[in-house]
Each structure stands twice: as C-alpha cells, then as structure tokens.
Amino acid sequence: MMTRDDVLKRFVEEADKLDKTYIRRNDIILQLAQLVADSRTSLSDESFAALLRIGAAIYKANLRQNRARKEIATIMRESINSGSD
C-alpha cells in the first residue's frame, strides 16, 4: 500500500519528466476526466467527490490562466496598435 508521501514523491518524479516534454493542460484535464469516468464504479462517493473537486480546481486554474493570457495578448496588441498611430 502506498502512503501519501509515496504518492507525493511520485508526483515530483513525474513533474521532473514533464519538464522534458510538452503536454497541453487541456489534454491532462481530459485524461483525468476519463480516468474518473472509468473508475466511477469502483470509487466510493467520497473519493469520487474528492476527485471531482481536484479536477474542478485544475480546470478552474487552467481557465483562469488562459483568460489571463488572452487579456495580456489583447493589451499588447492594443499597445502596438496605439503606438503605430
């Protein structure tokens, strides 16, 4: 049986691997959604709810970052356009 520390250690190891490859966050969210869907019948209601909260937090953080990027891109375009006037 794994402990929380064992899993955290694996998270760190996997995070180090991610630095060497490009993975879209949207793809990760979709993978998590599929894993939760596939595992639903073997999860307790509490575990299912916890995984939904985790997925929601990841989704929300990704959405917030995407919105921020779009806002920055818009500001930069407007700055460039106003500078060329």
Side-chain angles (χ1 to χ4, degrees):
M1 185 167 179
M2 293 183 82
T3 66
R4 182 173 37 184
D5 288 339
D6 294 334
V7 174
L8 289 172
K9 182 180 176 188
R10 295 289 302 270
F11 283 171
V12 171
E13 291 168 0
E14 290 299 314
D16 289 342
K17 291 178 191 176
L18 291 178
D19 289 341
K20 297 167 183 65
T21 59
Y22 175 75
I23 297 176
R24 291 181 40 210
R25 275 184 233 116
N26 289 344
D27 292 339
I28 294 296
I29 292 167
L30 291 173
Q31 286 177 14
L32 177 60
Q34 190 61 57
L35 284 169
V36 172
D38 292 346
S39 304
R40 176 58 185 120
T41 57
S42 62
L43 293 170
S44 69
D45 289 342
E46 294 81 18
S47 292
F48 181 69
L51 285 172
L52 288 179
R53 281 191 305 276
I54 292 165
I58 294 168
Y59 177 85
K60 189 173 183 176
N62 188 51
L63 185 64
R64 193 176 4 221
Q65 191 168 32
N66 285 340
R67 285 180 181 159
R69 271 196 206 113
K70 288 177 184 176
E71 288 177 13
I72 290 170
T74 300
I75 291 168
M76 291 179 74
R77 274 193 304 276
E78 290 172 357
S79 175
I80 290 169
N81 291 340
S82 67
S84 63
D85 291 341

